[in-house]
Amino acid sequence: MSIFKDVKEDGQKKDDLFTVISEDEQEEVDMELLESLMEDDSLVEADEEEAQAEALKEAEEPKEEEVQAAAEEKKEDSVEEKSRGLEHVSADTSSVTVITKGTTINGSIISDCSLDVMGTINGDIECLGKLTISGKVKGNAVASEVYVNTDRLEGSIMSEGSVKIGLGTVVIGDISAASGVIAGAVKGEIDIKGPIVIDSTAIIKGNVKAKSVQMNNGAVLEGFCSLSYAAVEIDTIFE
């Protein structure tokens, strides 16, 4: 294979436009072209490697804005978890405070959870949860649900839920609730917005007002029984 080139001598162009290059000269030209191409390829590869390294470095290093955003998000999550914890504590009525047997409290008690009274309390009781009384109490009781199973309780009972008076219990005071079950003795006015069950062992001295009354055989009631909360308007029937 031969390569031709233009030849100029003494500013004059020869008659022959091209001349033949020897094989040695051809090999020298080929080597120069090859070396030039290899240098160009190496430079291109170096540039590509450098660009890839910079891109990888930028990908591995988080941006300052992203770091700040992540820190703010973590802080907000922590605050939200704490607030949820506080809400859970303030609204928790499942836990129970116990007044143990042998303990005497002279004064009123206010509790935001359920209360189990086994000791003696001389004062009013108010709790958001369920109130269970098996000790001695002299005072009024207010709770979402009341269960009394003691010898004697002197004071009124008020509940938004149910009231249960156990067998052998004597209550001296009025009772007001949404529903009720009386198995003991009560001396006072009973006002029940819903149904009331007067068991066979119950003894009531006072008026009973309810939506419906179930009075078992053997119960004693000395007073008036009124179904004033019933849906039926009795006066209109007899007009």
Side-chain angles (χ1 to χ4, degrees):
M1 181 179 177
S2 62
I3 298 175
F4 297 91
K5 65 179 181 179
D6 293 339
V7 179
K8 293 183 181 180
E9 292 182 357
D10 300 332
Q12 296 180 353
K13 191 173 185 180
K14 289 185 176 183
D15 294 335
D16 295 332
L17 295 176
F18 303 95
T19 183
V20 178
I21 299 176
S22 64
E23 292 182 359
D24 295 337
E25 291 178 347
Q26 178 181 345
E27 290 178 359
E28 292 178 0
V29 172
D30 290 341
M31 290 299 294
E32 290 177 357
L33 290 173
L34 182 58
E35 291 176 356
S36 175
L37 291 173
M38 290 178 66
E39 289 179 357
D40 293 340
D41 292 340
S42 62
L43 290 174
V44 171
E45 291 177 357
D47 293 340
E48 290 179 353
E49 291 178 357
E50 185 178 356
Q52 291 177 359
E54 290 180 356
L56 183 61
K57 185 177 180 181
E58 291 179 356
E60 291 178 351
E61 295 180 356
K63 296 181 180 180
E64 184 178 357
E65 295 178 355
E66 294 178 354
V67 172
Q68 292 179 354
E72 291 292 335
E73 184 177 358
K74 186 175 181 181
K75 184 177 180 181
E76 291 177 358
D77 292 341
S78 178
V79 172
E80 185 176 357
E81 288 178 358
K82 290 181 179 178
S83 63
R84 287 178 180 176
L86 292 175
E87 289 176 0
H88 177 70
V89 171
S90 62
D92 184 16
T93 58
S94 61
S95 58
V96 180
T97 299
V98 179
I99 308 299
T100 59
K101 189 175 181 180
T103 302
T104 301
I105 297 176
N106 294 317
S108 300
I109 294 178
I110 298 176
S111 176
D112 60 354
C113 61
S114 298
L115 189 62
D116 190 353
V117 180
M118 300 179 183
T120 302
I121 297 179
N122 297 317
D124 297 337
I125 301 173
E126 181 178 353
C127 69
L128 299 180
K130 179 180 179 180
L131 174 61
T132 302
I133 300 174
S134 57
K136 296 180 180 180
V137 175
K138 289 184 179 180
N140 300 325
V142 179
S144 61
E145 186 177 350
V146 180
Y147 174 59
V148 183
N149 186 22
T150 185
D151 294 337
R152 189 179 183 89
L153 187 149
E154 297 182 8
S156 298
I157 298 174
M158 183 179 296
S159 173
E160 295 179 355
S162 64
V163 170
K164 296 179 181 180
I165 308 300
L167 177 64
T169 300
V170 176
V171 176
I172 309 299
D174 299 334
I175 296 177
S176 177
S179 63
V181 176
I182 310 297
V186 177
K187 183 180 180 180
E189 301 294 318
I190 299 177
D191 189 348
I192 305 298
K193 302 296 188 298
I196 183 173
V197 176
I198 303 175
D199 205 358
S200 59
T201 57
I203 299 174
I204 299 174
K205 187 175 183 179
N207 299 324
V208 176
K209 185 166 60 174
K211 184 176 182 180
S212 64
V213 176
Q214 176 183 330
M215 190 171 181
N216 297 334
N217 188 23
V220 177
L221 172 60
E222 186 178 332
F224 295 101
C225 183
S226 173
L227 303 182
S228 58
Y229 296 115
V232 179
E233 295 183 1
I234 298 176
D235 294 336
T236 59
I237 295 175
F238 298 100
E239 290 180 355

